[in-house]
Amino acid sequence: MIQNENEIDVVVKQAEAGFQFLQQCNVIERAKLMHAIADEIEAIDSMLIETAHLETALPVSRLEGEKSRTVNQWRMYANAVHTGLYSEARIDQSPDGKIDLRKYNKGLGPVVVFGASNFPFAFSTAGGDTASAIGAGCSVIVKAHPAHVKTSQLMADAIHRGISKYGASADIFSHVVSNSFEIGQQLVKHRLVKAVAFTGSFAGGKALFDLGQSRPDPIPVFAEMGSINPVFVLPDYLTDNGEAFAKQYIGSLTLGVGQFCTNPGVLIGLEGEKLDTLKADLKREIQAVATGKMLHQGILDHYNQLRGEMIGCNGVNILAEGTDNVQEGFAQAMLVETDAAQVLHNPELLEEVFGPFGLVISCADRHEMKILMEHLVGQITLTFAASDDDMWKYQDLFTIAQNKCGRLLFQGMPTGVEVKHAMQHGGPFPATTDSRFTSVGPDAIKRFLRPISFQNWPDEFLPKELQDGNPLQIERLVNQHWTKE
Ligand code: NAP
């Protein structure tokens, strides 16, 4: 347990030494190190799942899946690093031989990662933020999430075993446990820390972002915060698909007791008979949803408080609730309804209620639907449940939607985030603090890189990624041509 500023100083100075070590490692060496870490995470026995299950109440099957995903993340990011994709090496030589410019991307420096509560593996100690920072050549200090400290420690031990087996410096990774905001804040303020990654609440992410900006030398704070992930259900689609859609929507809304940042918390449709029928279907579906245990008491209290505030708002009516056998720590699902006029009058209705809570908004006509779309703030995802016919008729909505989210879905549901090169898990503020980056998929590595050019630098002193002979055999843009030559 870290308790004061002196102890933080020691940890950050170690991370700085770890960064110096990683600066000497080229992309192939870093990729091998990442695979060594993946091997150790993969090898942790069932104690990891049991511990995480006890600490988070997440089902064993979900945790097993999340562990595999976490291992795959390390391997996929390692493979991407190995290709040199993120080095973005460029070489430009003037015809007269006087100017030789060579540019590539290098790590920013020590990165502080705040573990998330809702993904104890994939977005925590050994999660995508840690893997992408190490892939970029940055050392990492993880601030463990207090809701699963033992799980976090098991992961940290595995990372250290991987580092040791590969033969890297132990300083490249540190694990900090504390029970106060202050320790996290002091880490963000430390002059040797060069970037921060965070997944959690808007209040937490924004506070840490502001702290990063208020330093004498501001640093990037990549915070992934709340999102209501609106689903627009269009009229022609509802003609034949209402019942199946209701099942799919409620399934996604209540998956994992609604504790996903991609949870589709708001459903928007055009008032009329089709929407009324859909509401009846949604009501039937949610009434069958059993109560579920939430990650920790703080999240449950927050859920109950926000839910209470929502149903206390003018013009908001309860459509239906899930089963009511509420036990200690358990949350009851709920679906409420209102109309667009109320929402436009009270934008607080569009705030995230983290948990199995959905708001159905009816719009008087397509003009009001468009105005509502224009009022939306940045989202991680936006979904259209639409037919081909709807797609032709509502093109103006799709154009606006592209400026509102990081991932736009045609049908389907936003929960279930694929770890792929083409994934964008982010979105305009307040979904994240920087819409240019993703926190899922190998492109997450880009957050922790910065370009540097070398002008007329002697070949043997250049990073291997830029040397004449291309010893790492990576793809480079040489005098405007892609080549490995
Ligand atoms: P959180 O409260 O944002 O905390 C996440 C981490 O950030 C914790 O380690 C916490 O420190 C730290 N932190 C938060 N505020 C801070 C501040 N002002 N200064 C320094 N450190 C700070 O998230 P949570 O505990 O996971 O859940 C709380 C709420 O966040 C939920 O009820 C939900 O609304 C939301 N949430 C959203 C997402 C999402 O993906 N959008 C995911 C999870 C949670 P401590 O260790 O000291 O607590």
Side-chain angles (χ1 to χ4, degrees):
M1 180 88 71
I2 288 257
Q3 281 168 348
N4 60 47
E5 218 164 321
N6 291 341
E7 288 172 349
I8 288 175
D9 197 48
V10 171
V11 171
V12 180
K13 282 184 175 146
Q14 274 171 6
E16 174 62 19
F19 174 58
Q20 298 308 333
F21 174 89
L22 281 171
Q23 291 216 96
Q24 307 306 317
C25 299
N26 61 52
V27 287
I28 291 176
E29 291 161 340
R30 293 209 300 275
K32 284 184 181 160
L33 163 66
M34 292 169 79
H35 278 295
I37 293 172
D39 290 344
E40 293 304 317
I41 297 170
E42 198 164 19
I44 315 180
D45 60 21
S46 55
M47 195 172 57
L48 177 75
I49 304 288
E50 284 159 26
T51 308
H53 176 60
L54 284 175
E55 287 192 313
T56 64
L58 291 172
V60 165
S61 57
R62 143 81 197 267
L63 289 166
E64 282 168 349
E66 195 183 322
K67 184 188 169 198
S68 302
R69 170 188 167 161
T70 305
V71 172
N72 290 342
Q73 278 178 175
W74 280 89
R75 298 209 190 283
M76 183 189 268
Y77 295 11
N79 293 341
V81 167
H82 192 284
T83 62
L85 181 65
Y86 298 108
S87 301
E88 294 184 350
R90 281 106 171 79
I91 299 176
D92 283 308
Q93 294 150 316
S94 63
D96 62 8
K98 284 188 182 157
I99 300 288
D100 180 298
L101 267 177
R102 297 176 187 228
K103 179 163 88 165
Y104 89 135
N105 290 331
K106 68 183 295 300
L108 283 175
V111 174
V112 171
V113 170
F114 285 80
S117 59
N118 57 343
F119 280 90
F121 306 150
F123 279 88
S124 277
T125 310
D129 289 335
T130 301
S132 49
I134 289 183
C138 298
S139 54
V140 171
I141 303 164
V142 164
K143 151 75 176 65
H145 195 285
H148 47 75
V149 172
K150 288 182 189 153
T151 305
S152 191
Q153 188 62 55
L154 289 172
M155 280 296 198
D157 294 344
I159 293 175
H160 272 301
R161 282 195 298 276
I163 290 170
S164 158
K165 283 198 179 158
Y166 176 76
S169 156
D171 293 336
I172 67 175
F173 176 82
S174 313
H175 184 233
V176 169
V177 177
S178 98
N179 52 9
S180 86
F181 276 5
E182 236 171 73
I183 296 297
Q185 291 172 355
Q186 282 167 1
L187 281 169
V188 175
K189 284 196 286 190
H190 197 289
R191 69 188 168 84
L192 292 175
V193 167
K194 297 299 176 207
V196 176
F198 168 97
T199 301
S201 65
F202 174 78
K206 181 66 166 49
L208 296 172
F209 174 79
D210 289 344
L211 208 57
Q213 298 308 296
S214 68
R215 290 170 39 133
D217 56 336
I219 56 168
V221 175
F222 300 103
E224 194 233 293
M225 306 174 289
S227 198
I228 53 169
N229 304 293
V231 177
F232 284 77
V233 59
L234 299 183
D236 188 55
Y237 178 79
L238 271 185
T239 308
D240 294 325
N241 303 295
E243 213 175 317
F245 172 81
K247 201 178 266 303
Q248 200 184 18
Y249 176 77
I250 296 298
S252 178
L253 182 75
T254 57
L255 186 71
V257 204
Q259 299 167 111
F260 291 112
C261 49
T262 50
N263 186 38
V266 168
L267 178 60
I268 300 163
L270 286 185
E271 70 183 30
E273 212 175 295
K274 286 181 189 171
L275 191 60
D276 290 343
T277 309
L278 176 65
K279 283 182 190 172
D281 290 337
L282 291 166
K283 204 169 156 175
R284 198 182 52 248
E285 289 298 326
I286 203 156
Q287 280 168 341
V289 173
T291 54
K293 190 158 191 197
M294 293 198 95
L295 289 158
H296 62 74
Q297 190 60 37
I299 288 193
L300 177 62
D301 292 345
H302 200 209
Y303 171 67
N304 285 331
Q305 181 203 327
L306 290 181
R307 210 176 80 134
E309 285 170 17
M310 282 285 180
I311 54 183
C313 286
N314 269 345
V316 175
N317 305 310
I318 298 177
L319 255 178
E321 290 175 86
T323 61
D324 63 359
N325 54 335
V326 182
Q327 307 161 48
E328 200 184 325
F330 280 56
Q332 187 183 17
M334 182 185 269
L335 199 61
V336 302
E337 62 173 339
T338 191
D339 57 43
Q342 289 289 347
V343 175
L344 295 171
H345 182 67
N346 180 9
E348 282 177 15
L349 290 172
L350 292 177
E351 281 179 15
E352 181 187 42
V353 178
F354 193 71
F357 180 89
L359 170 66
V360 181
I361 303 174
S362 49
C363 301
D365 51 31
R366 58 177 293 169
H367 176 65
E368 195 174 45
M369 190 178 254
K370 189 174 166 193
I371 294 175
L372 188 60
M373 169 74 88
E374 280 163 350
H375 270 73
L376 289 177
V377 294
Q379 303 291 332
I380 293 175
T381 72
L382 227 150
T383 301
F384 284 95
S387 66
D388 287 350
D389 189 49
D390 292 319
M391 289 302 281
W392 285 110
K393 283 193 187 142
Y394 287 83
Q395 288 187 49
D396 52 343
L397 273 189
F398 309 141
T399 309
I400 307 169
Q402 289 180 41
N403 293 319
K404 299 284 181 184
C405 68
R407 179 162 55 109
L408 198 49
L409 286 93
F410 174 67
Q411 302 181 6
M413 284 294 145
T415 41
V417 181
E418 296 285 321
V419 183
K420 300 277 187 221
H421 279 272
M423 174 51 69
Q424 177 60 24
H425 190 68
F429 186 86
T432 72
T433 48
D434 197 333
S435 63
R436 293 169 300 173
F437 297 94
T438 178
S439 60
V440 174
D443 277 359
I445 294 167
K446 290 183 187 175
R447 293 172 299 171
F448 308 115
L449 291 167
R450 74 174 177 86
I452 176 167
S453 277
F454 296 86
Q455 187 162 336
N456 295 343
W457 207 250
D459 193 59
E460 64 268 38
F461 296 105
L462 281 167
K464 283 209 164 53
E465 287 84 345
L466 295 175
Q467 286 178 0
D468 274 343
N470 194 10
L472 305 178
Q473 280 298 289
I474 61 174
E475 196 81 16
R476 311 190 292 186
L477 189 63
V478 179
N479 294 322
Q480 302 178 51
H481 295 288
W482 287 106
T483 174
K484 284 190 178 177
E485 295 302 309

